[in-house]
Amino acid sequence: LDSNNVSTLQVVEKFVANFPDYDQNRGIERAIPQKYKNNNVDLKIKSVHDENAVDRNYTTYESNDNLILRIGDADRYVRGRQVYTITYTMRDVISFYDQQDEWYWDVNGDQWKQPFGSVTARVHFNPSIVQEISKQPLCFTGSYGQNTGDCFTTMASVGDQSIYTRASTRSFNPGENMSLVIGFNKGVFEK
């Protein structure tokens, strides 16, 4: 929450990609939504780096209400294991319903043409938000429109934060996604 009780979100995404041992790819592209249910989420990219916190070069362009990050160098192919860590912030990501307020998050998105060996999401909440969760968080997996639950949820407290971890229990085919749904009591967030 910001000072006006508007939802705020900091996201740290870590992609571990295995590239072929020949010149095929120069990096990855990541599409990040700039709107959520017609709300501008005020997307801000904070950093893009490798596993050693070394900045990676990237450019951006917009397509279909997404900001596309093209990460890599035009004159350099990548091979083998590569780690891409993207940090960004958003706001106004809550949907308001009659019975509850809700956060619905597509973790990896369903537009990838590559498979995922596994998908894990860790959601860190401060104590004032945790006590406002109205029901057990849900996890869905599969292609667009599917709602299978090939994932598990654990909760742990670390310092003053509660951390909900959701992890897939299977690998994902191209076009498959893991989604999270967390309901909150009415009145916690403002529009």
Side-chain angles (χ1 to χ4, degrees):
L1 293 173
D2 68 8
S3 60
N4 296 317
N5 290 337
V6 174
S7 60
T8 58
L9 180 67
Q10 176 171 301
V11 179
V12 179
E13 295 182 337
K14 179 180 176 182
F15 294 94
V16 179
N18 291 304
F19 292 95
D21 197 25
Y22 53 87
D23 291 348
Q24 176 180 314
N25 303 90
R26 292 182 172 91
I28 65 169
E29 284 191 345
R30 174 63 170 135
I32 304 172
Q34 293 181 292
K35 291 189 176 186
Y36 179 74
K37 296 194 175 183
N38 297 322
N39 290 329
N40 180 339
V41 297
D42 194 28
L43 172 64
K44 290 187 172 56
I45 305 299
K46 299 297 185 182
S47 66
V48 179
H49 57 80
D50 68 11
E51 64 189 318
N52 298 312
V54 175
D55 288 342
R56 286 195 178 266
N57 292 330
Y58 70 96
T59 57
T60 62
Y61 65 95
E62 295 181 11
S63 178
N64 297 323
D65 289 330
N66 292 310
L67 181 69
I68 313 296
L69 278 72
R70 181 172 282 169
I71 306 169
D73 296 304
D75 59 348
R76 186 175 154 256
Y77 288 96
V78 291
R79 294 180 175 189
R81 182 180 182 276
Q82 299 288 319
V83 176
Y84 299 87
T85 303
I86 306 166
T87 302
Y88 57 93
T89 59
M90 296 176 147
R91 56 179 282 121
D92 210 9
V93 295
I94 297 293
S95 296
F96 299 93
Y97 298 104
D98 291 339
Q99 301 300 317
Q100 70 176 7
D101 298 339
E102 182 181 275
W103 181 53
Y104 186 102
W105 186 256
D106 286 336
V107 176
N108 57 299
D110 62 3
Q111 300 298 308
W112 291 91
K113 295 179 182 173
Q114 297 79 22
F116 280 78
S118 65
V119 177
T120 300
R122 290 179 189 84
V123 183
H124 299 245
F125 292 104
N126 67 36
S128 65
I129 298 297
V130 170
Q131 65 190 14
E132 298 294 341
I133 294 175
S134 62
K135 63 180 180 181
Q136 181 66 31
L138 302 173
C139 178
F140 300 111
T141 56
S143 300
Y144 180 81
Q146 291 183 319
N147 62 357
T148 55
D150 298 319
C151 45
F152 67 91
T153 303
T154 61
M155 198 281 282
S157 294
V158 178
D160 66 346
Q161 292 189 342
S162 292
I163 303 171
Y164 285 84
T165 301
R166 287 156 193 86
S168 62
T169 57
R170 65 171 177 86
S171 58
F172 288 0
N173 293 317
E176 291 187 316
N177 174 59
M178 183 169 76
S179 299
L180 312 176
V181 183
I182 301 175
F184 296 92
N185 295 324
K186 295 294 295 176
V188 175
F189 302 98
E190 297 291 332
K191 294 181 183 182

